Amino acid sequence: MDLRTLRLRPGEVRTETIDVELEPFVLGGQRYEATPATIPVTLEISQASGATVFDMRLLAHVSGACMRCLGFAELERPVRAREFHDFDAPASDELSSDYVVNDHLQLGAWARDAVSLELPDQILCREDCAGLCPVCGKDLNVEPHEHSEREPDPRWAALAKLRDEL
Ligand SMILES: [Zn+2]
Ligand SMILES: [Zn+2]
């Protein structure tokens, strides 16, 4: 869509639904996929005094490994974002959107950035995920347990076995 040919009148709104493919996100060393990868993005274009206004809406669904227990985690977030662009402003101007390149809106890059901003710092299978046991590595959701200090460390057990063999 060449934005210069839009020629919107003030107050006029043009609404488009465009399919956008979201590349996987990498957070905390883990990969999170948008599922499905291609989602419909609703774009509203209107004309304000001195700038074209872009309003984007989408529903992001992302899945990957829980950051605590490595089990399956997914989340769904409604995402909204707005950009202003004045076609006559220099690129350094604040009314020049970084997502408009050569009079074309880079909707894929914009949608991806907007979803990134909405993702939480921690992606968990559930809010109170107990995570993995720091001592033995078992999943504390499946097998809740604690280690008492008196329990022999497996390394000492191996040494004791060696001692018995000597
Ligand atoms: Zn978890
Ligand atoms: Zn344990």
Side-chain angles (χ1 to χ4, degrees):
M1 195 195 332
D2 188 338
L3 298 169
R4 269 193 193 267
T5 62
L6 274 174
R7 306 228 174 276
L8 291 172
R9 290 184 304 276
E12 192 183 342
V13 179
R14 178 152 162 188
T15 306
E16 303 263 344
T17 303
I18 301 158
D19 283 338
V20 169
E21 189 180 339
L22 292 175
E23 298 276 319
F25 300 88
V26 176
L27 285 164
Q30 301 282 352
R31 195 180 148 98
Y32 296 90
E33 312 250 1
T35 42
T38 301
I39 53 163
V41 172
T42 305
L43 182 66
E44 274 182 17
I45 309 166
S46 57
Q47 190 64 43
S49 56
T52 303
V53 186
F54 300 99
D55 279 294
M56 175 176 65
R57 281 197 313 273
L58 62 95
L59 185 65
H61 184 270
V62 172
S63 62
C66 169
M67 288 183 180
R68 281 191 201 146
C69 74
L70 304 178
F72 179 74
E74 60 184 336
L75 61 93
E76 200 171 74
R77 283 288 153 97
V79 174
R80 300 183 76 115
R82 173 174 279 182
E83 282 284 316
F84 296 92
H85 185 72
D86 177 358
F87 289 95
D88 301 316
S92 56
D93 194 277
E94 61 173 13
L95 277 180
S96 171
S97 170
D98 294 341
Y99 299 114
V100 177
V101 178
N102 298 327
D103 297 337
H104 286 80
L105 182 64
Q106 310 294 302
L107 192 59
W110 183 23
R112 192 170 190 281
D113 287 352
V115 172
S116 291
L117 289 173
E118 283 296 322
L119 293 178
D121 295 338
Q122 289 251 302
I123 294 181
L124 303 175
C125 58
R126 56 171 211 248
E127 218 174 295
D128 60 347
C129 170
L132 301 178
C133 171
V135 178
C136 71
K138 282 182 183 160
D139 187 343
L140 292 170
N141 299 302
V142 181
E143 227 178 291
H145 65 276
E146 277 176 28
H147 294 268
S148 70
E149 279 179 36
R150 273 165 299 162
E151 200 170 317
D153 186 303
R155 286 167 298 182
W156 292 120
L159 272 180
K161 188 166 173 280
L162 199 64
R163 188 189 58 209
D164 291 346
E165 282 169 7
L166 288 173

